[in-house]
Amino acid sequence: MVRRWIRFLGKEEALKLMNWNNSDPYFSLRVNTTNGYTRDDLVNRLEDLQVHYEKSIMDEFVRIREGMQAVLQAGLLKEGMCAVQDESAGFVVSVVDPQPGETIMDCCAAPGGKTLFMASRLAGQGKVSALDINKGRLRILMEAAKCHNLDDIITDIHGDLRL
């Protein structure tokens, strides 16, 4: 694999790729603005928990490399302050750019990160239909929607879009 990378990328770029690939991963936390929280609120809680973080280029996101257990034990996810969501999914929502009053169909909705984020962008005005083939994962999505006070905006639909 390394020989292939060097052949396609050159030695310098292949080394950069290998160093990046060996680096510690991070978790992205998205603040739940629907519940009235801001990124500063989340940052303050992380500081109280002594969890090191870095701010993302996206306003709703913070990255942590360690300290997820502290976040879980403090109940930040259960109380609806934030959700674990990869920033790449957040970029998708930024491209869709949901606006209040719109109706959105998420055709592969579970486990719900993009669905919840899109619903939060509707500011209480609009609907998101969350379609997924997996009933159990839809149930988890709707539990998260309740936690984030978005269950009145999101409707779950158990089904297979191919059918």
Side-chain angles (χ1 to χ4, degrees), residues 110-111 130 132 134-146 156-158:
D132 203 272
N134 188 309
K135 193 178 254 185
R137 288 167 53 101
L138 274 174
R139 188 183 73 253
I140 293 168
L141 185 157
M142 292 310 294
E143 289 170 4
K146 286 179 187 166
D156 61 324
I157 303 168
H158 178 243

Side-chain angles (χ1 to χ4, degrees), residues 7-162:
R7 188 171 59 243
F8 286 112
L9 302 172
K11 188 175 181 180
E12 187 175 322
E13 288 300 313
L15 283 171
K16 286 181 187 177
L17 174 62
M18 289 182 282
N19 283 327
W20 172 83
N21 198 41
N22 286 330
S23 66
D24 291 331
Y26 60 84
F27 292 97
S28 294
L29 302 175
R30 179 181 53 80
V31 69
N32 182 3
T33 56
T34 305
N35 282 352
Y37 296 109
T38 65
R39 182 165 68 176
D40 287 339
D41 295 329
L42 178 57
V43 162
N44 289 336
R45 288 291 297 275
L46 292 173
E47 288 174 351
D48 291 345
L49 296 169
Q50 298 180 345
V51 173
H52 299 286
Y53 64 90
E54 65 182 72
K55 292 180 179 179
S56 166
I57 59 170
M58 296 181 65
D59 291 339
E60 297 94 343
F61 287 83
V62 173
R63 299 178 190 138
I64 62 172
R65 290 202 184 272
E66 51 191 37
M68 183 53 93
Q69 281 299 324
V71 169
L72 293 170
Q73 290 171 353
L76 300 186
L77 276 66
K78 280 192 177 186
E79 72 185 46
M81 176 177 251
C82 63
V84 177
Q85 182 175 13
D86 192 271
E87 289 172 270
S88 61
F91 282 124
V92 170
V93 175
S94 294
V95 170
V96 173
D97 192 24
Q99 298 297 311
E102 291 184 338
T103 299
I104 298 167
M105 171 69 100
D106 188 343
C107 295
C108 190
K114 290 185 295 292
T115 303
L116 294 169
F117 194 14
M118 285 190 284
S120 72
R121 288 279 183 97
L122 296 177
Q125 301 172 17
K127 293 287 178 191
V128 176
S129 295
L131 174 79
D132 203 272
I133 194 170
N134 188 309
K135 193 178 254 185
R137 288 167 53 101
L138 274 174
R139 188 183 73 253
I140 293 168
L141 185 157
M142 292 310 294
E143 289 170 4
K146 286 179 187 166
C147 185
H148 287 254
N149 292 321
L150 294 167
D151 52 319
D152 57 334
I153 293 181
I154 300 171
T155 303
D156 61 324
I157 303 168
H158 178 243
D160 185 343
L161 183 63
R162 297 172 296 184

